[in-house]
Amino acid sequence: MGEHTAPKFPQEIIDEYAALGVDLPALFSAGHLGERMGVTIVEASADRVVGTMPVEGNTQPYGLLHGGASAVLAETLGSIGSMLHGGVTKLAVGVDLNCTHHRGVRSGLVTGVATPVHRGRSTATYEIAITDEQDKRVCTARLTCMLRDAPRPDAA
């Protein structure tokens, strides 16, 4: 379900993680749940994260896009933005997610765009706008992540 493509990163981000031997597309992928739901990361930076998800396979019993599926897309995109903001020394952990569902969608692909509302030292908040193929707003979400210190590798 859903073709997996490598997200686009700014060169300075690629260089920063490559120096640590980190595979960015794997690290900032949609994860197991996102992959199961067909989430694809199209673009990723601390300023903007874009991803898509098919409606098919992610519906509730009435045949509409499931609100929980929109929440998965929103949290995935906002978390990636938060991780990129925090950099290699931080881990982003979601602490608050809210979603307002504006309209139903029965088919096609939805696109989420996450942009920062606040980027601090200990928290990051992103607004995620999810639209249908006609560019109509399906859902508006806001995610706040706590930025925790990443575990340090043991000194050799």
Side-chain angles (χ1 to χ4, degrees):
M1 182 186 287
E3 188 175 305
H4 198 68
T5 59
K8 300 172 188 168
F9 295 97
Q11 190 60 48
E12 63 271 12
I13 300 291
I14 293 170
D15 294 344
E16 183 179 15
Y17 284 87
L20 299 171
V22 175
D23 177 6
L24 273 178
L27 180 62
F28 295 113
S29 73
H32 294 297
L33 178 60
E35 287 179 13
R36 191 173 312 128
M37 297 179 73
V39 173
T40 299
I41 307 304
V42 176
E43 173 187 333
S45 73
D47 293 323
R48 178 179 156 94
V49 181
V50 179
T52 62
M53 181 180 67
V55 173
E56 184 180 348
N58 294 314
T59 58
Q60 37 87 312
Y62 300 117
L64 299 171
L65 177 65
H66 195 291
S70 294
V72 167
L73 178 60
E75 184 147 359
T76 298
L77 301 178
S79 293
I80 289 171
S82 296
M83 287 285 290
L84 288 169
H85 164 65
V88 295
T89 63
K90 299 287 185 179
L91 295 177
V93 180
V95 294
D96 181 63
L97 173 66
N98 71 65
C99 300
T100 301
H101 306 287
H102 305 293
R103 68 176 57 246
V105 181
R106 292 188 179 278
S107 63
L109 199 66
V110 292
T111 299
V113 178
T115 54
V117 174
H118 165 78
R119 291 186 294 186
R121 289 187 308 255
S122 60
T123 63
T125 301
Y126 280 76
E127 179 181 79
I128 302 93
I130 300 173
T131 57
D132 64 14
E133 291 178 317
Q134 287 73 45
D135 206 28
K136 292 183 179 176
R137 182 82 56 120
V138 173
C139 176
T140 301
R142 188 185 70 234
L143 174 71
T144 297
C145 289
M146 178 174 54
L147 301 174
R148 300 181 59 183
D149 290 334
R152 295 181 184 183
D154 292 337

